Amino acid sequence: MPTQHKVIDKAMDIGPFTTIRDLCRFKPLNDEPVVEFTLSDYVSGTEKNPDDLELWYGVHALYNAHPGRNSVQSMYTQYIAPPIVDYLQKVDSLKTLLRMRVNFFPYTKEVYEHEPHTDHEFSCKAAILYLNTCNGFTRLEDGTKIDSVENRMLLFDPHTPHNSTTTSNTKGRFNINCTYF
């Protein structure tokens, strides 16, 4: 059965998108992203060797809903989240943001496909905003491959298994993952 999803090319207006992209990914001038990434093991529960060099990724947490606590987790949230939230309210009826984070998947000699995972233990909505074009991709449960194309957005249910990849044709693969009701 096909996985329900929607792909939107040229998703965001170029002004807000360019600001977001430039804050989150390597810039040609100094090869440094503005946001800092925390290195993380790839998927918890993975049965592969935890020392495998292709099992890591970088994450910069922007927002994580915590009742009774401040959910904003980065000084960059104020610049990155509002245009994405506004856009998702229009195109996918976002009511409540659950989590938003910037992901960085490193260059590897060949594209490495990570193990399938789910983002939450319950059904909700998700959007992935791709920040650069590269040969990495997101694979959905039914095998559908969504290529990483700058300013493309993928809408889907993150409770269905899906996986990410590295890239082999640029320094890194960058995207923003949001989950919401």
Side-chain angles (χ1 to χ4, degrees):
M1 178 177 202
T3 304
Q4 294 262 337
H5 70 281
K6 181 177 182 179
V7 174
I8 305 168
D9 286 322
K10 298 180 182 171
M12 299 190 65
D13 290 337
I14 196 66
F17 176 79
T18 300
T19 299
I20 291 166
R21 180 199 64 203
D22 290 351
L23 283 170
C24 298
R25 56 163 254 190
F26 291 119
K27 297 169 83 173
L29 191 58
N30 61 7
D31 269 354
E32 297 285 333
V34 176
V35 300
E36 294 179 356
F37 292 93
T38 301
L39 300 184
S40 177
D41 288 340
Y42 185 61
V43 177
S44 60
T46 244
E47 293 186 21
K48 297 189 185 240
N49 178 352
D51 295 325
D52 189 327
L53 295 176
E54 295 173 332
L55 282 180
W56 70 276
Y57 73 109
V59 65
H60 182 88
L62 295 167
Y63 183 90
N64 201 347
H66 292 291
R69 291 193 343 226
N70 183 0
S71 299
V72 173
Q73 298 187 314
S74 168
M75 64 187 262
Y76 296 103
T77 303
Q78 64 183 320
Y79 307 109
I80 297 170
I84 295 172
V85 167
D86 290 347
Y87 182 76
L88 288 171
Q89 286 172 332
K90 292 174 190 165
V91 301
D92 205 29
S93 304
L94 178 147
K95 306 258 186 293
T96 303
L97 184 63
L98 298 173
R99 184 179 72 198
M100 183 181 289
R101 63 189 195 177
V102 183
N103 295 315
F104 163 69
F105 300 96
Y107 165 87
T108 51
K109 287 183 182 179
E110 294 179 18
V111 173
Y112 180 84
E113 197 164 340
H114 299 115
E115 295 294 321
H117 67 278
T118 59
D119 292 356
H120 294 289
E121 295 179 8
F122 50 85
S123 185
C124 61
K125 295 179 178 184
I128 298 175
L129 176 63
Y130 300 96
L131 300 178
N132 65 323
T133 298
C134 65
N135 64 352
F137 55 90
T138 301
R139 187 176 304 278
L140 302 177
E141 181 178 37
D142 66 357
T144 301
K145 188 170 116 176
I146 311 300
D147 293 329
S148 291
V149 175
E150 184 175 279
N151 202 10
R152 171 177 281 175
M153 186 174 280
L154 167 64
L155 305 176
F156 70 108
D157 181 345
H159 182 61
T160 61
H162 57 283
N163 62 272
S164 59
T165 67
T166 61
T167 181
S168 66
N169 68 347
T170 189
K171 288 185 178 185
R173 178 174 174 250
F174 294 84
N175 64 41
I176 297 177
N177 178 291
C178 312
T179 58
Y180 54 95
F181 290 116

